Amino acid sequence: MTEETPGFDEQQPDVPSGATSEDAEPKAASPSAEEGAAPAGDTGQDAALVAQLDQARTALGERTADLQRLQAEFQNYRRRVERDRIAVKEIAIANLLTELLPVLDDIGRAREHGELVGGFKSVAESLESTAAKMGLQQFGKEGEPFDPTIHEALMHSYAPDVTETTCVAILQPGYRIGERTIRPARVAVAEPQPGAQTVKADESADADDKESGGPDEG
């Protein structure tokens, strides 16, 4: 009599009659179904990533535009500050030199009378040199045409030897800083005598007639 060892008999699943053991085994999931479901999830993730990327690009473009605008505003601010600084400096220098003009006039008169000698001469020349370094320029000469934008006529006369209004004497020189006139030159002017141009025109016509043999006789 043989002894049966318990636990060694394998429990076999109940198989209906007429069915094979293969029918009793569970069928694996169809791989085609899994492959068909995967692309749907990937497409949704790709669309979300594209949307996020577009949002990031839009935000980057906006921030870049803001940065460029701020940079342009800062550059304009720097230019305005520099322009204002130069303008304030020029105004301050012009005001200082304007106050010194009477002193420069005294130095000029002393030079004309031969009184600019000794230590006074050295001080005067140093003052004039410093004023020139600060941009002060003197103008106004005898014989130049009268220009009302830079000349101030204090005396008026007629002269036969001028063909236009001319500065015949400089009573006070003018001064400018760059293109800015801080004091016009005060001058005496002379105009052509009335009728002088008519006489000269008649004389010129007579000279032309003589050169051509005189007027034609009838």
Side-chain angles (χ1 to χ4, degrees):
M1 181 176 178
T2 59
E3 294 181 359
E4 294 181 358
T5 305
F8 280 89
D9 292 339
E10 295 182 356
Q11 299 292 332
Q12 297 293 332
D14 295 335
V15 180
S17 60
T20 62
S21 60
E22 295 179 356
D23 295 335
E25 295 178 357
K27 295 182 179 180
S30 176
S32 60
E34 295 180 355
E35 292 177 357
D42 293 342
T43 302
Q45 292 180 356
D46 292 343
L49 291 175
V50 170
Q52 293 178 359
L53 181 59
D54 291 339
Q55 292 178 357
R57 288 175 177 173
T58 302
L60 178 61
E62 293 175 353
R63 299 300 178 270
T64 302
D66 293 341
L67 179 61
Q68 291 175 348
R69 183 172 61 256
L70 291 174
Q71 186 176 8
E73 292 177 355
F74 179 69
Q75 293 295 335
N76 292 333
Y77 169 76
R78 288 184 59 185
R79 294 190 189 98
R80 287 195 302 270
V81 170
E82 182 66 16
R83 185 169 58 248
D84 294 343
R85 185 185 66 81
I86 294 175
V88 169
K89 180 180 178 180
E90 290 178 350
I91 292 173
I93 292 175
N95 292 337
L96 173 62
L97 295 178
T98 300
E99 296 297 326
L100 291 177
L101 294 185
V103 179
L104 296 177
D105 291 336
D106 292 339
I107 292 174
R109 284 189 289 267
R111 181 179 286 110
E112 291 176 358
H113 292 84
E115 299 175 356
L116 199 63
V117 294
F120 177 55
K121 178 181 180 181
S122 177
V123 173
E125 290 177 349
S126 297
L127 179 61
E128 291 175 334
S129 176
T130 301
K133 289 180 180 179
M134 297 176 70
L136 186 66
Q137 299 175 356
Q138 186 183 101
F139 65 90
K141 295 181 180 179
E142 294 182 4
E144 63 185 8
F146 176 76
D147 184 352
T149 62
I150 60 173
H151 296 137
E152 180 182 353
L154 300 183
M155 298 177 64
H156 177 270
S157 63
Y158 294 98
D161 57 342
V162 296
T163 58
E164 60 181 342
T165 304
T166 305
C167 301
V168 294
I170 306 299
L171 306 179
Q172 270 188 335
Y175 290 95
R176 66 166 62 98
I177 300 176
E179 299 297 327
R180 179 183 179 184
T181 300
I182 62 176
R183 191 182 76 182
R186 292 164 180 168
V187 299
V189 299
E191 291 184 305
Q193 288 183 347
Q197 294 182 351
T198 304
V199 173
K200 289 183 179 180
D202 293 340
E203 292 177 354
S204 177
D206 292 340
D208 292 339
D209 290 340
K210 291 180 181 179
E211 291 178 359
S212 61
D216 295 337
E217 295 180 357

